[in-house]
mmCIF file of all heavy atoms in Angstrom:
data_model
loop_
_atom_site.group_PDB
_atom_site.id
_atom_site.type_symbol
_atom_site.label_atom_id
_atom_site.label_comp_id
_atom_site.label_asym_id
_atom_site.label_seq_id
_atom_site.Cartn_x
_atom_site.Cartn_y
_atom_site.Cartn_z
ATOM 1 N N PRO A 1 61.892 -106.087 91.105
ATOM 2 C CA PRO A 1 63.181 -106.059 91.829
ATOM 3 C C PRO A 1 64.361 -106.578 91.002
ATOM 4 O O PRO A 1 65.483 -106.103 91.167
ATOM 5 C CB PRO A 1 62.903 -106.955 93.042
ATOM 6 C CG PRO A 1 61.447 -106.766 93.316
ATOM 7 C CD PRO A 1 60.812 -106.650 91.950
ATOM 8 N N ASP A 2 64.102 -107.525 90.091
ATOM 9 C CA ASP A 2 65.196 -108.015 89.233
ATOM 10 C C ASP A 2 65.757 -106.890 88.361
ATOM 11 O O ASP A 2 66.964 -106.809 88.132
ATOM 12 C CB ASP A 2 64.704 -109.157 88.319
ATOM 13 C CG ASP A 2 64.462 -110.432 89.099
ATOM 14 O OD1 ASP A 2 64.985 -110.552 90.224
ATOM 15 O OD2 ASP A 2 63.735 -111.312 88.591
ATOM 16 N N ASP A 3 64.858 -106.039 87.879
ATOM 17 C CA ASP A 3 65.296 -104.911 87.049
ATOM 18 C C ASP A 3 66.110 -103.918 87.874
ATOM 19 O O ASP A 3 67.121 -103.393 87.417
ATOM 20 C CB ASP A 3 64.097 -104.200 86.420
ATOM 21 C CG ASP A 3 63.319 -105.120 85.490
ATOM 22 O OD1 ASP A 3 63.947 -105.697 84.590
ATOM 23 O OD2 ASP A 3 62.100 -105.272 85.687
ATOM 24 N N TRP A 4 65.660 -103.661 89.111
ATOM 25 C CA TRP A 4 66.415 -102.742 89.985
ATOM 26 C C TRP A 4 67.803 -103.305 90.271
ATOM 27 O O TRP A 4 68.790 -102.579 90.286
ATOM 28 C CB TRP A 4 65.667 -102.518 91.296
ATOM 29 C CG TRP A 4 64.293 -101.966 91.153
ATOM 30 C CD1 TRP A 4 63.841 -101.115 90.173
ATOM 31 C CD2 TRP A 4 63.166 -102.230 91.992
ATOM 32 N NE1 TRP A 4 62.510 -100.840 90.367
ATOM 33 C CE2 TRP A 4 62.062 -101.502 91.473
ATOM 34 C CE3 TRP A 4 62.970 -103.006 93.144
ATOM 35 C CZ2 TRP A 4 60.799 -101.538 92.060
ATOM 36 C CZ3 TRP A 4 61.714 -103.038 93.727
ATOM 37 C CH2 TRP A 4 60.644 -102.309 93.194
ATOM 38 N N SER A 5 67.856 -104.612 90.486
ATOM 39 C CA SER A 5 69.125 -105.271 90.799
ATOM 40 C C SER A 5 70.129 -105.111 89.647
ATOM 41 O O SER A 5 71.294 -104.748 89.849
ATOM 42 C CB SER A 5 68.843 -106.751 91.069
ATOM 43 O OG SER A 5 70.009 -107.412 91.414
ATOM 44 N N LEU A 6 69.634 -105.357 88.440
ATOM 45 C CA LEU A 6 70.474 -105.228 87.241
ATOM 46 C C LEU A 6 70.924 -103.777 87.056
ATOM 47 O O LEU A 6 72.083 -103.495 86.742
ATOM 48 C CB LEU A 6 69.661 -105.703 86.026
ATOM 49 C CG LEU A 6 70.391 -105.804 84.691
ATOM 50 C CD1 LEU A 6 71.510 -106.832 84.776
ATOM 51 C CD2 LEU A 6 69.406 -106.190 83.583
ATOM 52 N N MET A 7 69.984 -102.865 87.266
ATOM 53 C CA MET A 7 70.261 -101.435 87.127
ATOM 54 C C MET A 7 71.385 -101.011 88.087
ATOM 55 O O MET A 7 72.316 -100.289 87.707
ATOM 56 C CB MET A 7 68.974 -100.670 87.444
ATOM 57 C CG MET A 7 68.956 -99.218 87.067
ATOM 58 S SD MET A 7 67.438 -98.449 87.699
ATOM 59 C CE MET A 7 66.268 -98.811 86.428
ATOM 60 N N ALA A 8 71.314 -101.490 89.328
ATOM 61 C CA ALA A 8 72.322 -101.131 90.336
ATOM 62 C C ALA A 8 73.712 -101.608 89.902
ATOM 63 O O ALA A 8 74.702 -100.880 90.028
ATOM 64 C CB ALA A 8 71.957 -101.725 91.693
ATOM 65 N N LYS A 9 73.777 -102.831 89.379
ATOM 66 C CA LYS A 9 75.071 -103.369 88.928
ATOM 67 C C LYS A 9 75.655 -102.535 87.798
ATOM 68 O O LYS A 9 76.848 -102.234 87.772
ATOM 69 C CB LYS A 9 74.898 -104.819 88.440
ATOM 70 C CG LYS A 9 74.771 -105.840 89.550
ATOM 71 C CD LYS A 9 74.789 -107.243 88.936
ATOM 72 C CE LYS A 9 74.062 -108.228 89.833
ATOM 73 N NZ LYS A 9 73.544 -109.390 89.120
ATOM 74 N N ARG A 10 74.794 -102.177 86.830
ATOM 75 C CA ARG A 10 75.263 -101.404 85.671
ATOM 76 C C ARG A 10 75.749 -100.015 86.091
ATOM 77 O O ARG A 10 76.776 -99.531 85.608
ATOM 78 C CB ARG A 10 74.141 -101.282 84.629
ATOM 79 C CG ARG A 10 73.778 -102.586 83.937
ATOM 80 C CD ARG A 10 74.886 -103.076 82.998
ATOM 81 N NE ARG A 10 75.164 -102.129 81.926
ATOM 82 C CZ ARG A 10 74.507 -102.083 80.774
ATOM 83 N NH1 ARG A 10 73.524 -102.942 80.538
ATOM 84 N NH2 ARG A 10 74.813 -101.198 79.862
ATOM 85 N N ILE A 11 74.991 -99.370 86.976
ATOM 86 C CA ILE A 11 75.379 -98.026 87.435
ATOM 87 C C ILE A 11 76.704 -98.094 88.189
ATOM 88 O O ILE A 11 77.608 -97.282 87.952
ATOM 89 C CB ILE A 11 74.278 -97.408 88.334
ATOM 90 C CG1 ILE A 11 73.000 -97.151 87.518
ATOM 91 C CG2 ILE A 11 74.768 -96.106 88.977
ATOM 92 C CD1 ILE A 11 71.782 -96.802 88.371
ATOM 93 N N ALA A 12 76.831 -99.072 89.084
ATOM 94 C CA ALA A 12 78.067 -99.207 89.880
ATOM 95 C C ALA A 12 79.265 -99.454 88.967
ATOM 96 O O ALA A 12 80.356 -98.916 89.202
ATOM 97 C CB ALA A 12 77.923 -100.330 90.897
ATOM 98 N N LYS A 13 79.061 -100.263 87.937
ATOM 99 C CA LYS A 13 80.158 -100.551 86.993
ATOM 100 C C LYS A 13 80.636 -99.261 86.326
ATOM 101 O O LYS A 13 81.839 -98.999 86.237
ATOM 102 C CB LYS A 13 79.676 -101.561 85.945
ATOM 103 C CG LYS A 13 80.797 -102.094 85.044
ATOM 104 C CD LYS A 13 80.278 -103.212 84.156
ATOM 105 C CE LYS A 13 81.290 -103.832 83.231
ATOM 106 N NZ LYS A 13 82.595 -103.203 83.090
ATOM 107 N N GLU A 14 79.685 -98.435 85.881
ATOM 108 C CA GLU A 14 80.048 -97.153 85.258
ATOM 109 C C GLU A 14 80.783 -96.245 86.247
ATOM 110 O O GLU A 14 81.774 -95.602 85.900
ATOM 111 C CB GLU A 14 78.796 -96.433 84.743
ATOM 112 C CG GLU A 14 78.152 -97.067 83.533
ATOM 113 C CD GLU A 14 79.063 -97.086 82.302
ATOM 114 O OE1 GLU A 14 79.923 -96.190 82.166
ATOM 115 O OE2 GLU A 14 78.910 -98.007 81.479
ATOM 116 N N LEU A 15 80.276 -96.193 87.478
ATOM 117 C CA LEU A 15 80.884 -95.298 88.478
ATOM 118 C C LEU A 15 82.273 -95.771 88.885
ATOM 119 O O LEU A 15 83.166 -94.962 89.129
ATOM 120 C CB LEU A 15 79.981 -95.206 89.720
ATOM 121 C CG LEU A 15 78.640 -94.491 89.531
ATOM 122 C CD1 LEU A 15 77.788 -94.637 90.780
ATOM 123 C CD2 LEU A 15 78.837 -93.005 89.222
ATOM 124 N N ASN A 16 82.461 -97.086 88.965
ATOM 125 C CA ASN A 16 83.743 -97.627 89.441
ATOM 126 C C ASN A 16 84.775 -97.804 88.329
ATOM 127 O O ASN A 16 85.954 -97.581 88.548
ATOM 128 C CB ASN A 16 83.527 -98.975 90.148
ATOM 129 C CG ASN A 16 82.877 -98.805 91.510
ATOM 130 O OD1 ASN A 16 83.036 -97.770 92.163
ATOM 131 N ND2 ASN A 16 82.143 -99.808 91.949
ATOM 132 N N ASP A 17 84.318 -98.194 87.136
ATOM 133 C CA ASP A 17 85.267 -98.501 86.054
ATOM 134 C C ASP A 17 85.442 -97.352 85.081
ATOM 135 O O ASP A 17 86.511 -97.135 84.548
ATOM 136 C CB ASP A 17 84.811 -99.736 85.246
ATOM 137 C CG ASP A 17 84.649 -100.957 86.125
ATOM 138 O OD1 ASP A 17 85.120 -100.910 87.273
ATOM 139 O OD2 ASP A 17 84.049 -101.953 85.669
ATOM 140 N N GLY A 18 84.328 -96.648 84.833
ATOM 141 C CA GLY A 18 84.387 -95.609 83.806
ATOM 142 C C GLY A 18 85.008 -94.335 84.335
ATOM 143 O O GLY A 18 84.990 -94.059 85.536
ATOM 144 N N ASN A 19 85.583 -93.554 83.431
ATOM 145 C CA ASN A 19 86.133 -92.252 83.813
ATOM 146 C C ASN A 19 84.998 -91.237 83.679
ATOM 147 O O ASN A 19 84.940 -90.466 82.731
ATOM 148 C CB ASN A 19 87.311 -91.922 82.883
ATOM 149 C CG ASN A 19 87.984 -90.620 83.278
ATOM 150 O OD1 ASN A 19 87.802 -90.141 84.403
ATOM 151 N ND2 ASN A 19 88.733 -90.049 82.362
ATOM 152 N N VAL A 20 84.049 -91.286 84.616
ATOM 153 C CA VAL A 20 82.835 -90.476 84.503
ATOM 154 C C VAL A 20 82.668 -89.551 85.705
ATOM 155 O O VAL A 20 83.170 -89.823 86.792
ATOM 156 C CB VAL A 20 81.570 -91.361 84.363
ATOM 157 C CG1 VAL A 20 81.638 -92.208 83.103
ATOM 158 C CG2 VAL A 20 81.364 -92.244 85.581
ATOM 159 N N ASP A 21 81.954 -88.451 85.484
ATOM 160 C CA ASP A 21 81.650 -87.511 86.568
ATOM 161 C C ASP A 21 80.359 -87.890 87.287
ATOM 162 O O ASP A 21 80.105 -87.469 88.419
ATOM 163 C CB ASP A 21 81.503 -86.088 86.014
ATOM 164 C CG ASP A 21 82.814 -85.567 85.437
ATOM 165 O OD1 ASP A 21 83.844 -85.739 86.110
ATOM 166 O OD2 ASP A 21 82.805 -85.022 84.325
ATOM 167 N N GLY A 22 79.509 -88.653 86.589
ATOM 168 C CA GLY A 22 78.225 -89.056 87.145
ATOM 169 C C GLY A 22 77.509 -89.906 86.124
ATOM 170 O O GLY A 22 78.029 -90.136 85.034
ATOM 171 N N VAL A 23 76.327 -90.386 86.467
ATOM 172 C CA VAL A 23 75.580 -91.267 85.568
ATOM 173 C C VAL A 23 74.159 -90.725 85.397
ATOM 174 O O VAL A 23 73.540 -90.296 86.370
ATOM 175 C CB VAL A 23 75.527 -92.711 86.128
ATOM 176 C CG1 VAL A 23 74.557 -93.583 85.334
ATOM 177 C CG2 VAL A 23 76.917 -93.342 86.119
ATOM 178 N N VAL A 24 73.671 -90.739 84.147
ATOM 179 C CA VAL A 24 72.275 -90.380 83.865
ATOM 180 C C VAL A 24 71.525 -91.666 83.533
ATOM 181 O O VAL A 24 72.001 -92.487 82.746
ATOM 182 C CB VAL A 24 72.167 -89.395 82.671
ATOM 183 C CG1 VAL A 24 70.699 -89.162 82.310
ATOM 184 C CG2 VAL A 24 72.856 -88.084 82.995
ATOM 185 N N VAL A 25 70.361 -91.849 84.152
ATOM 186 C CA VAL A 25 69.517 -93.016 83.877
ATOM 187 C C VAL A 25 68.172 -92.502 83.367
ATOM 188 O O VAL A 25 67.591 -91.595 83.964
ATOM 189 C CB VAL A 25 69.274 -93.857 85.149
ATOM 190 C CG1 VAL A 25 68.457 -95.101 84.821
ATOM 191 C CG2 VAL A 25 70.595 -94.245 85.814
ATOM 192 N N THR A 26 67.687 -93.061 82.250
ATOM 193 C CA THR A 26 66.363 -92.667 81.741
ATOM 194 C C THR A 26 65.387 -93.815 81.968
ATOM 195 O O THR A 26 65.735 -94.983 81.787
ATOM 196 C CB THR A 26 66.417 -92.316 80.243
ATOM 197 O OG1 THR A 26 66.903 -93.451 79.518
ATOM 198 C CG2 THR A 26 67.333 -91.139 79.990
ATOM 199 N N GLN A 27 64.177 -93.453 82.375
ATOM 200 C CA GLN A 27 63.163 -94.460 82.673
ATOM 201 C C GLN A 27 61.787 -93.818 82.526
ATOM 202 O O GLN A 27 61.664 -92.595 82.561
ATOM 203 C CB GLN A 27 63.342 -94.966 84.113
ATOM 204 C CG GLN A 27 62.443 -96.153 84.456
ATOM 205 C CD GLN A 27 62.312 -96.399 85.952
ATOM 206 O OE1 GLN A 27 63.286 -96.674 86.617
ATOM 207 N NE2 GLN A 27 61.094 -96.294 86.468
ATOM 208 N N GLY A 28 60.747 -94.633 82.431
ATOM 209 C CA GLY A 28 59.381 -94.104 82.444
ATOM 210 C C GLY A 28 59.070 -93.499 83.806
ATOM 211 O O GLY A 28 59.676 -93.857 84.815
ATOM 212 N N THR A 29 58.106 -92.579 83.827
ATOM 213 C CA THR A 29 57.857 -91.810 85.053
ATOM 214 C C THR A 29 57.052 -92.556 86.116
ATOM 215 O O THR A 29 57.200 -92.285 87.306
ATOM 216 C CB THR A 29 57.066 -90.517 84.737
ATOM 217 O OG1 THR A 29 55.849 -90.867 84.062
ATOM 218 C CG2 THR A 29 57.885 -89.563 83.897
ATOM 219 N N ASP A 30 56.191 -93.493 85.706
ATOM 220 C CA ASP A 30 55.203 -94.015 86.655
ATOM 221 C C ASP A 30 55.818 -94.646 87.904
ATOM 222 O O ASP A 30 55.267 -94.517 88.996
ATOM 223 C CB ASP A 30 54.278 -95.032 85.975
ATOM 224 C CG ASP A 30 53.242 -94.355 85.091
ATOM 225 O OD1 ASP A 30 53.266 -93.114 84.993
ATOM 226 O OD2 ASP A 30 52.416 -95.064 84.493
ATOM 227 N N THR A 31 56.922 -95.357 87.747
ATOM 228 C CA THR A 31 57.550 -95.978 88.926
ATOM 229 C C THR A 31 58.960 -95.433 89.155
ATOM 230 O O THR A 31 59.785 -96.084 89.793
ATOM 231 C CB THR A 31 57.588 -97.524 88.809
ATOM 232 O OG1 THR A 31 58.448 -97.892 87.716
ATOM 233 C CG2 THR A 31 56.197 -98.104 88.586
ATOM 234 N N LEU A 32 59.191 -94.251 88.649
ATOM 235 C CA LEU A 32 60.532 -93.663 88.786
ATOM 236 C C LEU A 32 60.966 -93.564 90.254
ATOM 237 O O LEU A 32 62.107 -93.851 90.594
ATOM 238 C CB LEU A 32 60.551 -92.270 88.142
ATOM 239 C CG LEU A 32 61.937 -91.648 87.903
ATOM 240 C CD1 LEU A 32 62.696 -92.413 86.838
ATOM 241 C CD2 LEU A 32 61.807 -90.175 87.488
ATOM 242 N N HIS A 33 60.027 -93.180 91.129
ATOM 243 C CA HIS A 33 60.411 -93.005 92.537
ATOM 244 C C HIS A 33 60.663 -94.337 93.251
ATOM 245 O O HIS A 33 61.339 -94.372 94.270
ATOM 246 C CB HIS A 33 59.408 -92.131 93.296
ATOM 247 C CG HIS A 33 57.987 -92.584 93.253
ATOM 248 N ND1 HIS A 33 57.248 -92.596 92.088
ATOM 249 C CD2 HIS A 33 57.153 -93.012 94.224
ATOM 250 C CE1 HIS A 33 56.012 -93.023 92.362
ATOM 251 N NE2 HIS A 33 55.938 -93.287 93.656
ATOM 252 N N PHE A 34 60.150 -95.435 92.707
ATOM 253 C CA PHE A 34 60.516 -96.753 93.247
ATOM 254 C C PHE A 34 61.963 -97.074 92.867
ATOM 255 O O PHE A 34 62.747 -97.551 93.685
ATOM 256 C CB PHE A 34 59.592 -97.850 92.695
ATOM 257 C CG PHE A 34 58.205 -97.850 93.276
ATOM 258 C CD1 PHE A 34 57.188 -97.094 92.697
ATOM 259 C CD2 PHE A 34 57.903 -98.621 94.392
ATOM 260 C CE1 PHE A 34 55.897 -97.105 93.217
ATOM 261 C CE2 PHE A 34 56.612 -98.638 94.918
ATOM 262 C CZ PHE A 34 55.613 -97.880 94.335
ATOM 263 N N SER A 35 62.308 -96.807 91.603
ATOM 264 C CA SER A 35 63.669 -97.089 91.128
ATOM 265 C C SER A 35 64.704 -96.239 91.853
ATOM 266 O O SER A 35 65.769 -96.729 92.230
ATOM 267 C CB SER A 35 63.777 -96.839 89.625
ATOM 268 O OG SER A 35 62.951 -97.731 88.917
ATOM 269 N N THR A 36 64.376 -94.956 92.049
ATOM 270 C CA THR A 36 65.368 -94.086 92.710
ATOM 271 C C THR A 36 65.530 -94.465 94.175
ATOM 272 O O THR A 36 66.630 -94.405 94.714
ATOM 273 C CB THR A 36 64.990 -92.594 92.585
ATOM 274 O OG1 THR A 36 63.708 -92.361 93.179
ATOM 275 C CG2 THR A 36 65.000 -92.143 91.142
ATOM 276 N N ALA A 37 64.438 -94.904 94.814
ATOM 277 C CA ALA A 37 64.560 -95.377 96.197
ATOM 278 C C ALA A 37 65.421 -96.635 96.231
ATOM 279 O O ALA A 37 66.327 -96.764 97.068
ATOM 280 C CB ALA A 37 63.183 -95.652 96.803
ATOM 281 N N ALA A 38 65.165 -97.556 95.295
ATOM 282 C CA ALA A 38 65.946 -98.796 95.255
ATOM 283 C C ALA A 38 67.435 -98.501 95.060
ATOM 284 O O ALA A 38 68.288 -99.049 95.775
ATOM 285 C CB ALA A 38 65.432 -99.712 94.147
ATOM 286 N N MET A 39 67.771 -97.621 94.108
ATOM 287 C CA MET A 39 69.189 -97.306 93.883
ATOM 288 C C MET A 39 69.806 -96.620 95.105
ATOM 289 O O MET A 39 70.984 -96.805 95.397
ATOM 290 C CB MET A 39 69.361 -96.400 92.648
ATOM 291 C CG MET A 39 69.014 -97.042 91.322
ATOM 292 S SD MET A 39 69.717 -98.683 91.048
ATOM 293 C CE MET A 39 68.297 -99.717 91.412
ATOM 294 N N SER A 40 68.997 -95.840 95.819
ATOM 295 C CA SER A 40 69.510 -95.138 97.007
ATOM 296 C C SER A 40 69.980 -96.123 98.072
ATOM 297 O O SER A 40 70.916 -95.843 98.816
ATOM 298 C CB SER A 40 68.426 -94.235 97.597
ATOM 299 O OG SER A 40 68.022 -93.260 96.658
ATOM 300 N N PHE A 41 69.319 -97.297 98.138
ATOM 301 C CA PHE A 41 69.721 -98.311 99.123
ATOM 302 C C PHE A 41 70.704 -99.326 98.539
ATOM 303 O O PHE A 41 71.659 -99.728 99.204
ATOM 304 C CB PHE A 41 68.485 -99.039 99.670
ATOM 305 C CG PHE A 41 67.553 -98.122 100.414
ATOM 306 C CD1 PHE A 41 66.266 -97.883 99.951
ATOM 307 C CD2 PHE A 41 67.981 -97.465 101.566
ATOM 308 C CE1 PHE A 41 65.420 -97.016 100.620
ATOM 309 C CE2 PHE A 41 67.131 -96.600 102.248
ATOM 310 C CZ PHE A 41 65.849 -96.374 101.773
ATOM 311 N N PHE A 42 70.496 -99.716 97.274
ATOM 312 C CA PHE A 42 71.345 -100.748 96.672
ATOM 313 C C PHE A 42 72.785 -100.279 96.455
ATOM 314 O O PHE A 42 73.706 -101.077 96.488
ATOM 315 C CB PHE A 42 70.784 -101.170 95.305
ATOM 316 C CG PHE A 42 69.510 -101.967 95.350
ATOM 317 C CD1 PHE A 42 68.770 -102.111 96.515
ATOM 318 C CD2 PHE A 42 69.028 -102.582 94.198
ATOM 319 C CE1 PHE A 42 67.584 -102.839 96.535
ATOM 320 C CE2 PHE A 42 67.850 -103.319 94.202
ATOM 321 C CZ PHE A 42 67.130 -103.444 95.374
ATOM 322 N N LEU A 43 72.973 -98.979 96.191
ATOM 323 C CA LEU A 43 74.322 -98.444 95.917
ATOM 324 C C LEU A 43 74.890 -97.864 97.209
ATOM 325 O O LEU A 43 74.557 -96.757 97.610
ATOM 326 C CB LEU A 43 74.256 -97.370 94.827
ATOM 327 C CG LEU A 43 73.736 -97.833 93.464
ATOM 328 C CD1 LEU A 43 73.486 -96.646 92.545
ATOM 329 C CD2 LEU A 43 74.718 -98.817 92.811
ATOM 330 N N ARG A 44 75.738 -98.623 97.851
ATOM 331 C CA ARG A 44 76.349 -98.187 99.115
ATOM 332 C C ARG A 44 77.671 -97.461 98.829
ATOM 333 O O ARG A 44 78.343 -97.754 97.838
ATOM 334 C CB ARG A 44 76.623 -99.390 100.018
ATOM 335 C CG ARG A 44 75.405 -100.203 100.452
ATOM 336 C CD ARG A 44 74.565 -99.503 101.531
ATOM 337 N NE ARG A 44 73.665 -98.510 100.983
ATOM 338 C CZ ARG A 44 73.460 -97.295 101.494
ATOM 339 N NH1 ARG A 44 74.097 -96.899 102.559
ATOM 340 N NH2 ARG A 44 72.625 -96.464 100.916
ATOM 341 N N ASN A 45 78.039 -96.551 99.716
ATOM 342 C CA ASN A 45 79.260 -95.738 99.549
ATOM 343 C C ASN A 45 79.242 -95.019 98.200
ATOM 344 O O ASN A 45 80.252 -95.004 97.483
ATOM 345 C CB ASN A 45 80.546 -96.587 99.637
ATOM 346 C CG ASN A 45 80.611 -97.383 100.922
ATOM 347 O OD1 ASN A 45 80.146 -96.920 101.965
ATOM 348 N ND2 ASN A 45 81.160 -98.575 100.851
ATOM 349 N N LEU A 46 78.120 -94.449 97.863
ATOM 350 C CA LEU A 46 77.999 -93.777 96.569
ATOM 351 C C LEU A 46 79.033 -92.654 96.476
ATOM 352 O O LEU A 46 79.306 -91.971 97.462
ATOM 353 C CB LEU A 46 76.579 -93.220 96.415
ATOM 354 C CG LEU A 46 76.162 -92.764 95.024
ATOM 355 C CD1 LEU A 46 76.277 -93.887 94.006
ATOM 356 C CD2 LEU A 46 74.738 -92.231 95.047
ATOM 357 N N ASN A 47 79.632 -92.501 95.295
ATOM 358 C CA ASN A 47 80.731 -91.539 95.152
ATOM 359 C C ASN A 47 80.424 -90.365 94.216
ATOM 360 O O ASN A 47 81.123 -89.361 94.235
ATOM 361 C CB ASN A 47 82.003 -92.271 94.661
ATOM 362 C CG ASN A 47 81.762 -93.073 93.391
ATOM 363 O OD1 ASN A 47 80.712 -92.977 92.772
ATOM 364 N ND2 ASN A 47 82.746 -93.881 93.011
#
């Protein structure tokens, strides 16, 4: 969960501060669906 927490902060920073159209995250496959579920809840008002 600490890694998911850090990941959420970094993604939000890029989405809010950066002049970006979207964000790509690379990760190993085995727990990818845990990470994507975590980001789906941790990132509110996703834009």
Side-chain angles (χ1 to χ4, degrees):
D2 288 342
D3 298 306
W4 302 328
S5 182
L6 187 63
M7 193 187 275
K9 283 187 206 156
R10 291 291 299 274
I11 294 169
K13 189 173 181 350
E14 289 298 331
L15 292 173
N16 287 332
D17 302 347
N19 183 18
V20 298
D21 295 314
V23 170
V24 174
V25 183
T26 58
Q27 188 197 298
T29 56
D30 284 1
T31 65
L32 194 68
H33 55 294
F34 286 89
S35 296
T36 59
M39 293 313 101
S40 299
F41 297 116
F42 289 11
L43 299 170
R44 298 285 81 224
N45 305 326
L46 193 58
N47 54 9

